[in-house]
Amino acid sequence: MSSMKLPAKMENMELLIQFISDKAGKLGFSGKRVKEIELAAEEALVNIIHYAYPDLQGDIVVSCMQHPSNQFVIDIEDTGIAFNMLSLKDPDISASISDREIGGLGVFLIRKLMDDVHYHRDNEKNVLRLIVHMPQPEKTGKT
Amino acid sequence: MEIIKSGKENNALVVKVSGRMDAVTAPEFEKTVNSWIDEGEKCFVVDLSSLEYISSAGLRSILVIAKKLKAINGKILLAAMEESVNEVFEISGFNSIIPIHDTVNAAILKA
C-alpha cells in the first residue's frame, strides 16, 4: 500500500489525483478508465476540501492498494466533521435547463463510474473507499 | 486549460477550450465567457476537440453560462467532443440540456 498525505486545500488536489492516476496507470488500466478514476477522485476530494474542515485546517490521506481479490482500492481519509457524502441524494438528471440545479453531480458521477464505493467512520476519521475492478488481461491467440 | 477566441461566424463567437476543465480551472472558463457576455456576445460555439477531461465543476460552469445566456435569449453550443468528455455529458444528462454537435461547422449552422 502507498499513501500520500497533504493539507486539504484546492492547490493540492492535482497532486493527490496525480498520485492516484500514476498508480492506476502502472496497474494497466486503460487511458479511459484512468480518466474515470481521476474524475471520481476529483469529485471526492473537492467535497472533502469544501466541507470536511469548515473552521480549521486539516489533512487528506490518500492510500492506494491492489487487493488480492482483483480490485484496485483507493481510500480517501480526513479527520474533519463526520460526513457521509454518499448520503447525498442524486440530482434529477432529466430536469430541463431552467429546473436543473447547479451542483450535486459530483457524488452521482462517483457512483456511476466506480465499481463500488463505501463510506465508514473510523476512529474520528471519515473513510471513503473507491473500488475499481482490475483490468482483465487481454486474451491472446486465436481459436 | 486554455481558452481562445477563434473568430466570429454566423453571429456566434467561436471559442476553443483545451486541456482540463476541473475544479481548479472551471471558474476561469466561467469568468472568461462572462466577460465576453458583458461585452455583448450572446451566442457561443465552443470547440471541445482538444478538451481531454471534464469534471462536475466543468459541467457546473457550462450550466451557469447556459442559464445566463438563456435569460438573455442567447445560447451556447458545444462541438467536437472527444469520447471520454462525451461520456460525462451522457451520464449526467447534460447532453439533453445543452446542444452538442459533432463538428464545429454543424454547431455554427445552428447558431
Side-chain angles (χ1 to χ4, degrees), chain B residues 62-99:
Chain B
I62 291 171
L63 182 61
V64 169
I65 295 291
K67 280 178 185 267
K68 185 165 181 176
L69 288 169
K70 190 166 192 251
I72 56 169
N73 287 321
K75 59 181 152 180
I76 181 166
L77 302 98
L78 308 179
M81 271 180 206
E82 74 138 86
E83 194 197 330
S84 62
V85 170
N86 191 48
E87 185 196 12
V88 179
F89 273 79
E90 278 181 9
I91 294 172
S92 58
F94 267 56
N95 55 343
S96 60
I97 52 174
I98 311 277

Side-chain angles (χ1 to χ4, degrees), chain A residues 10 13 32 35-36 38-39 42-43 46 93 95-98 100-102 105-106 108-109 112-113, chain B residues 20 22-23 52-56 59-60 63-64 66-67 70 82-84 87-88 91-92 94 97:
Chain A
M10 280 308 272
M13 191 185 77
K32 177 173 182 279
K35 274 190 199 177
E36 291 170 351
E38 285 180 17
L39 179 51
E42 175 184 327
E43 303 299 351
V46 167
I93 62 160
S96 70
I97 186 165
S98 313
R100 188 78 197 236
E101 286 176 14
I102 289 169
L105 263 178
F108 178 74
L109 289 171
K112 287 282 179 187
L113 296 171
Chain B
R20 297 169 71 90
D22 59 19
E52 298 158 15
Y53 173 95
I54 191 164
S55 69
S56 71
L59 294 177
R60 179 190 176 282
L63 182 61
V64 169
K67 280 178 185 267
K70 190 166 192 251
E82 74 138 86
E83 194 197 330
S84 62
E87 185 196 12
V88 179
I91 294 172
S92 58
F94 267 56
I97 52 174

Side-chain angles (χ1 to χ4, degrees), chain A residues 78-95:
Chain A
D78 65 78
T79 53
I81 51 172
F83 176 57
N84 177 8
M85 68 177 82
L86 302 177
S87 67
L88 296 173
K89 87 179 186 344
D90 285 343
D92 177 5
I93 62 160
S94 63

Side-chain angles (χ1 to χ4, degrees), chain A residues 104-119:
Chain A
L105 263 178
V107 174
F108 178 74
L109 289 171
I110 297 175
R111 272 190 227 284
K112 287 282 179 187
L113 296 171
M114 297 293 91
D115 291 309
D116 212 346
V117 51
H118 301 291
Y119 165 85

Side-chain angles (χ1 to χ4, degrees), chain B residues 7-110:
Chain B
K8 198 136 184 199
E9 305 230 25
N10 193 19
N11 276 327
L13 188 65
V14 182
V15 301
K16 181 165 180 150
V17 181
S18 38
R20 297 169 71 90
M21 251 176 114
D22 59 19
V24 174
T25 59
E28 190 189 325
F29 169 81
E30 211 177 306
K31 196 174 146 197
T32 308
V33 176
N34 266 322
S35 72
W36 290 330
I37 294 172
D38 291 343
E39 286 166 15
E41 299 294 345
K42 278 183 159 186
C43 184
F44 294 85
V45 168
V46 186
D47 176 357
L48 296 179
S49 57
S50 300
L51 188 73
E52 298 158 15
Y53 173 95
I54 191 164
S55 69
S56 71
L59 294 177
R60 179 190 176 282
S61 291
I62 291 171
L63 182 61
V64 169
I65 295 291
K67 280 178 185 267
K68 185 165 181 176
L69 288 169
K70 190 166 192 251
I72 56 169
N73 287 321
K75 59 181 152 180
I76 181 166
L77 302 98
L78 308 179
M81 271 180 206
E82 74 138 86
E83 194 197 330
S84 62
V85 170
N86 191 48
E87 185 196 12
V88 179
F89 273 79
E90 278 181 9
I91 294 172
S92 58
F94 267 56
N95 55 343
S96 60
I97 52 174
I98 311 277
I100 298 169
H101 295 273
D102 289 343
T103 64
V104 173
N105 283 338
I108 290 168
L109 287 174
K110 296 280 183 185

